Amino acid sequence: MAGMQVNSPRRMRSSFLPFARPSLGEEEIQEVVDTLRSGWLTTGPKTERFAAAFLEYVGGRFAVPVSSATAGLHAALLALGVGPGDEVVTTPMTFVATLNTIVHCGAVPVLVDIDAATLQMRVEAVEARLTPRTKAIVPVHYVGQPVDLDPLLALAASRGLAVLEDAAHAVGTEYRGRRIGSFPTTSVFSFHPNKNMTTGEGGMIVTEDEGVFERASLLKFHGMDREASKRFSKEGSPRYDVAIPGFKSNMMDIQAALGLHQLKRLDGFIAERTRQAARYDAAFADTAGLILPARVPYPARHAWHLYTPLVDVDRLTISRDRFMEELKRRNIGTGLHYTAAHEFSYYAGRFGWAPADYPEAHFVSERIVSLPLFPGLSDADQDDAIAAVGGVLEEFRR
Ligand SMILES: *Cc1c(COP(=O)(O)O)cnc(C)c1O
């Protein structure tokens, strides 16, 4: 077992191992070159094909390709009717874009703590946070496992609330046998290079609601009712109307060119991430100083966006940040996903939130670390990471 190498003298890795790296093949490269040669770079036929293929993969009804998940969350919130004075219930354990976009709509984020073991929002605690001003609930499928959707959707339906799934980590995630993107909600996926599949930057809104689809489609491109590919084609008219002031958040064909091939490889990527996660679980099973990621207690397909143990700082003489520094000194890169959003100065200041207000998110925020996990990670690379983690824990254990 690789974990047993901990005590043996071992030469340090000579090159730096990043915690994530996109996996791009020759097909992606050729498709981008083809796009460059085609004379059509921005939103066009490839974006349309990618959106259709993505919808088929997740089992959704309508898709709006966008320039990032952040842009998608913003447009989706507005399309759902979230505006000034509204409250939106979400979790502090997320990337801050989830909260930022709520604030950009003039709305107020209302937080529900997580379960520190599974990292998912405590769905059973949502109801107590609802008020007459609540407009929507934004669950986050954290690190690739799904939130407990059935009780959440039942609660939302009984109160007439919209559900917007932040599915940035959840391309390929399944809840009780169904893909995220196929539920009667609106979901937003991310194709940032660190996510499970990439378009460089990019995102996708998937919705079952035709009205949300139409409004989000307008919002993502200036509010214009006709896209450039339609206006400038031989059949098109150059005229358009603007019914709402939209944004510039469209996906380019250059991005979609990557997505078309990444999507075909996605299940292979997830299988490889799953294999690597199992190798970490096995290597660290008896390692004091690490709390391993727990599985949700309902049927799910984990997309393994990240492998995020908690550094058990109570059993070590160092903080999580120092733990990450020590790994970096050993040429092992790590990530921090994420600092709990309620602890950032803007949010703490504006809403008066203290770290202890969301104790489980705070606990996780002080301890979580993302270890290297990506399709191109070799077993030898992973063994280096395992040995380095073991070495740091050995050196700084109480
Ligand atoms: C990455 C991420 C986003 C934003 O995605 P982008 O495509 O980078 O805008 C939103 N929410 C969560 C939970 C994320 O991890």
Side-chain angles (χ1 to χ4, degrees), residues 68-70 73 94-95 97-98 140 166 168-169 190-192 195 201-202 338:
S68 69
T70 303
L73 287 167
T94 184
F95 180 53
T98 318
V140 179
D166 183 332
H169 299 181
S190 173
F191 311 126
H192 179 278
K195 300 289 172 24
E201 296 280 0
Y338 292 91

Side-chain angles (χ1 to χ4, degrees), residues 65 130 137:
L130 303 180
I137 305 171

Side-chain angles (χ1 to χ4, degrees), residues 86-136:
D86 290 336
E87 292 177 356
V88 178
V89 174
T90 190
T91 160
M93 188 44 62
T94 184
F95 180 53
V96 74
T98 318
L99 275 76
N100 285 350
T101 49
I102 292 167
V103 168
H104 286 321
C105 295
V108 172
V110 171
L111 303 183
V112 169
D113 207 356
I114 56 163
D115 173 338
T118 65
L119 311 178
Q120 308 302 321
M121 182 168 82
R122 283 190 178 279
V123 166
E124 72 277 11
V126 168
E127 188 165 13
R129 306 291 283 148
L130 303 180
T131 77
R133 288 184 301 280
T134 310
K135 185 85 184 184

Side-chain angles (χ1 to χ4, degrees), residues 13-332:
R13 254 186 94 81
S14 55
S15 64
F16 184 71
L17 178 66
F19 89 89
R21 197 191 300 137
S23 194
L24 297 170
E26 202 49 43
E27 286 103 331
E28 282 91 326
I29 292 167
Q30 282 312 317
E31 195 73 47
V32 169
V33 170
D34 176 72
T35 310
L36 298 176
R37 291 195 206 286
S38 75
W40 194 270
L41 307 186
T42 188
T43 315
K46 289 189 186 180
T47 305
E48 207 166 301
R49 263 171 54 210
F50 175 49
F54 192 81
L55 260 191
E56 190 180 328
Y57 180 84
V58 300
R61 273 189 84 194
F62 300 101
V64 183
V66 282
S67 53
S68 69
T70 303
L73 287 167
H74 192 190
L77 285 164
L78 291 172
L80 287 164
V82 172
D86 290 336
E87 292 177 356
V88 178
V89 174
T90 190
T91 160
M93 188 44 62
T94 184
F95 180 53
V96 74
T98 318
L99 275 76
N100 285 350
T101 49
I102 292 167
V103 168
H104 286 321
C105 295
V108 172
V110 171
L111 303 183
V112 169
D113 207 356
I114 56 163
D115 173 338
T118 65
L119 311 178
Q120 308 302 321
M121 182 168 82
R122 283 190 178 279
V123 166
E124 72 277 11
V126 168
E127 188 165 13
R129 306 291 283 148
L130 303 180
T131 77
R133 288 184 301 280
T134 310
K135 185 85 184 184
I137 305 171
V138 182
V140 179
H141 302 298
Y142 208 68
V143 308
Q145 295 202 94
V147 151
D148 197 1
L149 273 176
D150 279 352
L152 188 70
L153 296 186
L155 175 65
S158 74
R159 300 294 194 98
L161 300 172
V163 173
L164 171 59
E165 299 170 62
D166 183 332
H169 299 181
V171 190
T173 297
E174 292 174 11
Y175 172 76
R176 296 189 183 278
R178 264 175 84 176
R179 291 240 163 102
I180 299 304
S182 71
F183 290 86
T185 60
T186 299
S187 309
V188 176
F189 298 88
S190 173
F191 311 126
H192 179 278
N194 285 349
K195 300 289 172 24
N196 275 19
M197 58 171 277
T198 189
T199 58
E201 296 280 0
M204 193 75 75
I205 304 170
V206 173
T207 182
E208 57 95 43
D209 182 328
E210 193 160 7
V212 169
F213 168 69
E214 279 165 5
R215 288 188 292 280
S217 299
L218 289 174
L219 285 164
K220 73 138 190 331
F221 197 69
H222 309 289
M224 288 163 58
D225 65 353
R226 252 176 234 117
E227 282 181 359
S229 59
K230 305 282 186 319
R231 284 181 289 117
F232 299 141
S233 71
K234 200 169 165 199
E235 303 76 39
S237 154
R239 291 188 59 85
Y240 52 83
D241 184 38
V242 173
I244 33 173
F247 304 104
K248 182 66 197 297
S249 306
N250 53 307
M251 177 181 282
M252 297 188 289
D253 267 21
I254 299 174
Q255 295 167 292
L258 295 173
L260 280 168
H261 295 281
Q262 289 275 291
L263 185 61
K264 290 182 195 152
R265 301 169 66 199
L266 176 65
D267 284 326
F269 289 163
I270 294 173
E272 179 56 18
R273 288 174 175 279
T274 304
R275 191 185 72 84
Q276 291 170 13
R279 283 186 97 240
Y280 276 135
D281 277 349
F284 297 137
D286 303 316
T287 304
L290 274 192
I291 303 166
L292 300 189
R295 305 304 160 83
V296 293
Y298 34 83
R301 180 206 201 191
H302 195 329
W304 285 108
H305 167 49
L306 297 166
Y307 187 84
T308 51
L310 306 184
V311 181
D312 194 354
V313 293
D314 307 317
R315 301 182 67 166
L316 303 175
T317 59
I318 56 172
S319 67
R320 182 273 321 277
D321 290 0
R322 174 80 187 283
F323 176 85
M324 292 172 71
E325 274 303 312
E326 288 292 330
L327 284 177
K328 197 194 284 176
R329 279 204 322 119
R330 289 159 174 80
N331 266 336
I332 303 298

